[in-house]
Amino acid sequence: MSIQRFEPGPRMSQVVVHGNTVYLAGVVANNAAGESVTKQTQDILATIDGHLAKAGTDKSKLLSATIYITDMKTFQEMNAVWDSWVSPGNTPARATVEARLAAPQYTVEIMVIAAK
């Protein structure tokens, strides 16, 4: 079975497709760094939409999502954006974890796996 990599770098690829499964690296808000959790989550989900499209799939085929937030007090704020974005009836398995992220300007990071 072949493996496709999109936006490969020396450390990681942003998207890896193996068979009919699409794996995304953790996505942070490059266009909204340092802004509110709402804006960062919106930016991340727009990036995820773009990555999924490159791989030939979309959010209706999400299998799982792992969400990292730096403060659980922002859980509801992040969920408000997520809930308006996620495909109704096609919600993935999901975990949300409080964690310190690699750079202080980021307060949310989301990683997803989707079917093709």
Side-chain angles (χ1 to χ4, degrees):
M1 211 176 273
S2 68
I3 298 173
Q4 278 184 291
R5 299 176 197 282
F6 296 87
E7 298 181 42
R11 181 171 294 138
M12 65 183 185
S13 295
Q14 292 301 308
V15 181
V16 176
V17 180
H18 180 251
N20 289 320
T21 307
V22 178
Y23 303 87
L24 268 59
V27 178
V28 293
N30 288 325
N31 298 315
E35 296 190 39
S36 69
V37 166
T38 295
K39 288 187 178 186
Q40 287 196 34
T41 305
Q42 290 168 335
D43 184 46
I44 290 165
L45 296 176
T47 299
I48 288 173
D49 281 333
H51 286 331
L52 292 173
K54 283 181 204 171
T57 191
D58 61 61
K59 65 186 174 186
S60 72
K61 295 185 178 90
L62 289 180
L63 301 173
S64 70
T66 305
I67 301 172
Y68 304 93
I69 57 178
T70 58
D71 187 343
M72 275 297 179
K73 291 177 188 166
T74 64
F75 183 69
Q76 295 304 327
E77 183 180 353
M78 179 277 302
N79 266 335
V81 179
W82 174 270
D83 291 346
S84 68
W85 173 82
V86 74
S87 176
N90 298 305
T91 53
R94 191 186 107 168
T96 304
V97 179
E98 182 178 83
R100 189 173 353 169
L101 301 181
Q105 67 269 30
Y106 300 122
T107 56
V108 181
E109 182 170 350
I110 301 175
M111 185 175 182
V112 301
I113 299 171
K116 222 170 163 183

